[in-house]
Amino acid sequence: MKRLLVANAKGGSGKTTLATNLAGLLAARGLRTVLVDLDRQRSAARWLERRATGFPKIAGWTPDDDRDEVEAFDPQWAIYDSPAGLHGKRLDRAMKRVDLIVVPLAPSVLDMDATVDFLEALAEYKSVRKGESPVALVANRVDPRTLAALELENFLAAYDLPVIAHLHAAQVYVQCATIGATLFDLPRSRAEPEISHWAPIRAWIGAHLR
């Protein structure tokens, strides 16, 4: 099983939206996918409860759940939705489990300040330094017409890490969250143009796990 961690110590960076849509992307491609909710708020787990049975199956798991049902599902992929404030021993445990790390980042000074510390913490891990646990950044909730978006671009340029997507603050994400859906469950005409921004995410995942 391949494991991908969506993480940023800063709350409100869009981790759950990114994690649920990553799970939907993989499930839509016919891959058995489990969404692991490590956040005490259980936003991802509640999202799964709203998910229609007609959508591609995504299994769910939280630390309070029994592992037997998920093991019976025999997942090919696990997407980890992590809590805010992930650091120390909790980050150590998460890093031992995963193959890939995606860090979402919103265009605000507070988000950028918090993410500096988190990226420095990730860089301390041997697996990250050796490239065994690749890290990528996702610019999230971006409005390219704003000064905040320009400041975010300048921030991202300072890091030697791939920026694999610029996702907009589009209402379709809000609509999907309401019904337990993802972009990849919707008719293509309804999900465009946002779905096109996910092509480099698919490419990055595929390139590292061939």
Side-chain angles (χ1 to χ4, degrees), residues 90-131:
R90 290 192 299 170
L91 180 58
D92 290 344
R93 288 194 295 269
M95 291 297 292
K96 290 176 182 177
R97 298 171 181 165
V98 300
D99 303 291
L100 300 172
I101 303 100
V102 176
V103 180
L105 175 60
S108 81
V109 171
L110 295 178
D111 281 73
M112 287 183 271
D113 286 346
T115 302
V116 169
D117 294 336
F118 185 67
L119 292 177
E120 289 177 354
L122 287 180
E124 294 296 316
Y125 287 91
K126 184 178 179 180
S127 62
V128 172
R129 294 197 308 270
K130 296 180 67 175

Side-chain angles (χ1 to χ4, degrees), residues 34-200:
V34 59
L35 180 59
V36 179
D37 191 345
L38 300 178
D39 193 339
R40 291 182 180 179
Q41 295 181 7
R42 299 291 187 257
S43 297
R46 291 198 296 271
W47 173 85
L48 269 177
E49 291 173 357
R50 297 192 293 271
R51 187 165 175 79
T53 55
F55 293 149
K57 169 72 173 177
I58 299 173
W61 189 83
T62 77
D64 299 325
D65 295 334
D66 193 294
R67 293 181 179 272
D68 291 346
E69 186 174 344
V70 166
E71 290 176 354
F73 183 59
D74 189 24
Q76 297 164 289
W77 274 89
I79 303 297
Y80 289 76
D81 182 24
S82 66
L86 185 66
H87 67 282
K89 292 183 178 179
R90 290 192 299 170
L91 180 58
D92 290 344
R93 288 194 295 269
M95 291 297 292
K96 290 176 182 177
R97 298 171 181 165
V98 300
D99 303 291
L100 300 172
I101 303 100
V102 176
V103 180
L105 175 60
S108 81
V109 171
L110 295 178
D111 281 73
M112 287 183 271
D113 286 346
T115 302
V116 169
D117 294 336
F118 185 67
L119 292 177
E120 289 177 354
L122 287 180
E124 294 296 316
Y125 287 91
K126 184 178 179 180
S127 62
V128 172
R129 294 197 308 270
K130 296 180 67 175
E132 296 168 355
S133 299
V135 178
L137 305 177
V138 169
N140 208 12
R141 299 173 179 166
V142 176
D143 182 343
R145 300 165 297 181
T146 63
L147 177 60
L150 177 60
E151 292 173 344
L152 179 59
E153 288 304 306
N154 292 334
F155 174 86
L156 296 171
Y159 288 89
D160 187 24
L161 291 170
V163 181
I164 57 173
H166 290 73
L167 305 181
H168 294 168
Q171 279 300 302
V172 68
Y173 289 109
V174 178
Q175 295 160 4
C176 283
T178 302
I179 60 173
T182 73
L183 292 180
F184 309 97
D185 302 313
L186 303 179
R188 184 88 186 191
S189 58
R190 183 178 171 191
E192 288 288 4
E194 301 311 317
I195 200 169
S196 63
H197 300 153
W198 285 74

